Amino acid sequence: MLRATDPDAFGDIAEVLQGFTLTTHDLIYPGGNETDIAARLNEQFRRRGWREAAYGLGIVATRTTEPFGGEPRAEPERSQISSEGYKVDNVLRRVVLDVEWNAKDGNLDRDLAAYRALYDAGFVDVAIILTRVQSSLRQFAYRLALENGIEDAEARKRLATTTTTNLEKLESRLSRGDGGGCPVLAIAITERCWTDGRE
């Protein structure tokens, strides 16, 4: 669907992913709010014309009360609800893409709810979440940590987090329909992206 609706966006995603590698440093040392991995991916999309964007949505409800008997026609009553401030990491035309590498897994709920609303409002044709596999990548990182002299207990503690975004957590949300009608492409990075790029 993405290739049909926006082949240039599809090509950008393919190029970014083909050029992406994981290093030993990426996998065994903790990052900050935006890890080096997410920053590198976002930079590659920005170089291709994708931009971070904030979306705001509003709903206007109108009630028109019909007169009875000889009553005069009442003016319609209006109520407006607005929601502003949802940010998408990368937007190109009608395609949105979030990089959810090491964020709290609640971000997935926020992302999918926003995609659903943006799709229903006619802003978005396709949404993409770029994340990672959890179990196999964690085991691979644990092995690398030990090979690089990080003690067993320290490595386990550093790599044990299970409350962050990953494909396994995303799949369950997509299976229960959290994205609504919005087509969502899930892309997961695995240990096959690793290169021995020790720093």
Side-chain angles (χ1 to χ4, degrees):
M1 180 180 288
L2 174 60
R3 191 186 323 211
T5 57
D6 196 327
D8 291 336
F10 181 85
D12 287 346
I13 293 165
E15 280 181 24
V16 169
L17 293 175
Q18 286 168 353
F20 177 75
T21 59
L22 286 172
T23 67
T24 300
H25 186 273
D26 289 332
L27 294 172
I28 64 176
Y29 296 102
N33 283 341
E34 183 177 33
T35 64
D36 290 343
I37 296 164
R40 288 198 321 259
L41 286 164
N42 286 328
E43 181 183 359
Q44 289 306 310
F45 283 109
R46 306 273 160 70
R47 288 178 183 273
R48 289 165 174 79
W50 297 64
R51 295 293 179 263
E52 184 179 34
Y55 286 91
L57 294 173
I59 298 171
V60 177
T62 304
R63 180 180 73 187
T64 305
T65 305
E66 294 297 322
F68 176 75
E71 295 174 346
R73 179 167 293 278
E75 289 293 318
E77 295 179 52
R78 288 183 173 81
S79 176
Q80 182 169 338
I81 300 169
S82 61
S83 171
E84 296 183 11
Y86 176 74
K87 282 193 174 181
V88 176
D89 292 337
N90 300 286
V91 175
L92 187 68
R93 291 177 291 278
R94 298 176 55 82
V95 179
V96 294
L97 184 151
D98 278 304
V99 178
E100 296 293 4
W101 180 262
N102 195 33
K104 294 293 183 187
D105 63 351
N107 282 17
L108 297 173
D109 298 316
R110 180 206 64 195
D111 292 343
L112 292 172
Y115 299 158
R116 181 180 200 149
L118 293 171
Y119 180 79
D120 289 345
F123 271 118
V124 168
D125 291 332
V126 181
I128 300 120
I129 295 181
L130 181 52
T131 188
R132 62 187 171 156
V133 296
Q134 173 72 3
S135 53
S136 63
L137 193 57
R138 184 171 48 181
Q139 288 303 314
F140 181 72
Y142 176 64
R143 193 184 87 218
L144 286 176
L146 295 179
E147 289 173 4
N148 283 271
I150 296 175
E151 295 298 321
D152 185 61
E154 184 184 350
R156 283 193 185 280
K157 181 179 177 184
R158 196 178 281 173
L159 300 169
T161 304
T162 58
T163 59
T164 55
T165 51
N166 59 64
L167 181 64
E168 293 86 342
K169 291 183 181 290
L170 178 56
E171 283 179 319
S172 64
R173 288 163 167 86
L174 291 175
S175 295
R176 69 181 182 224
D178 288 4
C182 182
V184 179
L185 172 61
I187 301 173
I189 292 171
T190 73
E191 62 273 16
R192 289 180 297 192
C193 295
W194 177 73
T195 59
D196 192 9
R198 293 185 176 89
E199 296 179 9

